[in-house]
Amino acid sequence: MQERAKATRRSLLEAAAQLFAEQGYAATSVNDMSARSGRTSGAVYFHYAGKEGIAVAVVQDRFATWSQLAARYADEAVPPVERLIALSYDIAHALAEDPVTRAGARLWAERATINAPLPDPFALWTAAATRLLAQARLAGHLYAHVRPARTARTLVRAFFGLCALTEALEGTAVVTSRLTDWWQLTLPSLRPQPVCDDLPTDR
Amino acid sequence: MQERAKATRRSLLEAAAQLFAEQGYAATSVNDMSARSGRTSGAVYFHYAGKEGIAVAVVQDRFATWSQLAARYADEAVPPVERLIALSYDIAHALAEDPVTRAGARLWAERATINAPLPDPFALWTAAATRLLAQARLAGHLYAHVRPARTARTLVRAFFGLCALTEALEGTAVVTSRLTDWWQLTLPSLRPQPVCDDLPTDR
């Protein structure tokens, strides 16, 4: 029974995420979620207390994704700045391809029209970036004046803006290549090495 | 008569911009614009063909602002990179304080819910940044590998993301200081000088 409830919750969340990503919050109804998932409207109210509740859960689920992504970059054998760079490409990929991540980003952009407080989707990512930069600093891989928390805050906002605007203006196909342009414009300020020539240009 | 029509158009545009900035596109009606401006609803339809038309005009007016801002930075006596930096602080200030600019940004974020194609608000700013970077490159102020058009595209997207997310997460009061963090993380990649110590931290 608990397994069945979990499966229902997941199927509702994924149906809602697809709809939010495709048509936005305002245009998506509980009936749409029921039709897309093959579950009843009552199940949406029972498991998520309605449309606002499932929107918050979608954004929270995206959090979880980012946290799991960050955990995959705990390998101490790889230099921390390289792990930060690899993580950024994975998040950019999720923002371009993963329905729940895409729905989370769209809901966050439409947050003014949602009658429920959404969790801050950037706090955990900033924390992960701060940790990696602090490790890099300790290892002597950064310029001495680069401060991890402040730099992580700046990087996360610029990174997210770059991904969001690139998708809006040019579509998702070029996000990897534009992210490489951005790292080439950012890395020389972080560390003494010259421009990186081995960053990806597509995937 | 033509002066009176101009005054009516301007008063409707400013009332609509205030409302769009405060409550978003979906929640704003032509009746609200009429009540705020003291003009008739008929005037909205006559001068702007309705709500979509006035939304497009608000975004276009913001264009105009950016173009005028760029024109103010044509003084060849000032090094082009310094002009680009000064321009960025002025645009950040307009995004934080000017009602029409704020409305343009909010409408652009809500563009999926607006039943009319909005003009790209970044094209002119990217063109202005490209021009200034090309001048800087000619003057030998940039690293040789920095390419003006590609760099301008990256800078504009990261800059706008930084301003938008800073306002959303922390409010407008700290935008200048966060923008300085961003330039400190970006300038060393553009030119040989060390970190700039004379960037503003509030205004």
Side-chain angles (χ1 to χ4, degrees):
Chain A
M1 179 57 182
Q2 212 188 334
E3 279 310 307
R4 214 169 82 186
K6 255 193 204 165
T8 303
R9 282 180 66 86
R10 192 73 216 167
S11 118
L12 288 170
L13 187 92
E14 281 172 7
Q18 285 170 14
L19 291 160
F20 288 144
E22 288 163 18
Q23 59 196 37
Y25 182 76
T28 299
S29 69
V30 169
N31 278 344
D32 295 338
M33 298 174 199
S34 162
R36 178 73 62 106
S37 64
R39 316 276 169 164
T40 65
S41 294
V44 177
Y45 292 102
F46 179 78
H47 288 287
Y48 291 102
K51 181 171 151 180
E52 283 94 357
I54 204 163
V56 172
V58 166
V59 176
Q60 241 151 10
D61 197 74
R62 185 189 176 214
F63 260 149
T65 311
W66 286 9
S67 201
Q68 284 158 25
L69 277 177
R72 280 173 45 203
Y73 292 93
D75 179 1
E76 310 247 326
V78 179
V81 174
E82 308 310 317
R83 280 185 273 151
L84 180 65
I85 294 169
L87 177 57
S88 77
Y89 283 96
D90 269 9
I91 293 180
H93 190 244
L95 283 166
E97 306 288 344
D98 172 60
V100 181
T101 305
R102 291 180 62 72
R106 179 152 183 182
L107 290 171
W108 199 81
E110 295 176 355
R111 67 197 174 283
T113 67
I114 301 174
N115 195 21
L118 295 187
D120 170 0
F122 307 101
L124 270 180
W125 202 71
T126 304
T130 301
R131 205 161 45 240
L132 287 168
L133 288 170
Q135 289 173 20
R137 195 164 195 261
L138 267 175
H141 297 167
L142 301 182
Y143 285 118
H145 65 260
V146 173
R147 294 166 62 182
R150 176 180 294 197
T151 303
R153 181 175 64 197
T154 308
L155 288 177
V156 166
R157 294 178 191 179
F159 162 81
F160 188 76
L162 184 97
C163 291
L165 278 197
T166 296
E167 174 172 347
L169 299 171
E170 300 186 278
T172 56
V174 295
V175 168
T176 298
S177 150
R178 300 296 177 257
L179 183 52
T180 294
D181 288 346
W182 178 72
W183 274 118
Q184 282 174 339
L185 194 66
T186 305
L187 276 177
S189 301
L190 291 178
R191 60 180 191 189
Q193 282 92 332
V195 174
C196 246
D197 287 329
D198 58 346
L199 293 170
T201 52
D202 50 54
R203 64 184 290 161
Chain B
M1 177 59 181
Q2 211 187 336
E3 278 312 305
R4 213 168 83 187
K6 256 193 202 164
T8 303
R9 282 180 68 86
R10 192 72 215 168
S11 119
L12 288 169
L13 187 92
E14 281 173 7
Q18 285 171 12
L19 291 160
F20 288 144
E22 287 163 19
Q23 58 197 38
Y25 182 76
T28 298
S29 70
V30 168
N31 279 343
D32 294 339
M33 296 174 200
S34 162
R36 176 73 61 108
S37 63
R39 315 276 169 163
T40 63
S41 294
V44 177
Y45 292 102
F46 179 77
H47 288 288
Y48 291 103
K51 182 171 151 180
E52 283 93 356
I54 205 163
V56 171
V58 166
V59 176
Q60 241 152 8
D61 197 74
R62 187 189 176 213
F63 260 150
T65 311
W66 286 8
S67 200
Q68 285 158 22
L69 277 176
R72 281 174 45 205
Y73 292 93
D75 179 1
E76 310 246 327
V78 180
V81 174
E82 309 308 317
R83 281 185 272 150
L84 180 65
I85 293 170
L87 178 56
S88 76
Y89 283 96
D90 269 9
I91 292 179
H93 189 243
L95 283 167
E97 307 289 343
D98 172 60
V100 182
T101 306
R102 293 179 62 72
R106 179 152 183 182
L107 290 171
W108 200 80
E110 295 176 355
R111 66 198 174 282
T113 67
I114 301 174
N115 195 20
L118 294 187
D120 170 359
F122 307 101
L124 270 180
W125 203 72
T126 305
T130 301
R131 206 162 43 239
L132 288 167
L133 288 170
Q135 289 173 20
R137 194 165 195 259
L138 266 175
H141 298 168
L142 300 182
Y143 285 119
H145 65 262
V146 173
R147 293 165 64 182
R150 176 180 293 195
T151 303
R153 182 175 63 197
T154 308
L155 288 176
V156 166
R157 294 178 191 178
F159 161 82
F160 187 77
L162 184 96
C163 292
L165 278 197
T166 295
E167 173 172 348
L169 300 171
E170 301 186 277
T172 56
V174 294
V175 167
T176 298
S177 150
R178 300 295 176 257
L179 183 53
T180 293
D181 288 348
W182 178 72
W183 275 118
Q184 282 173 338
L185 194 67
T186 306
L187 276 177
S189 300
L190 291 178
R191 60 180 191 188
Q193 282 92 335
V195 174
C196 247
D197 287 327
D198 58 347
L199 292 170
T201 53
D202 49 54
R203 65 184 291 162

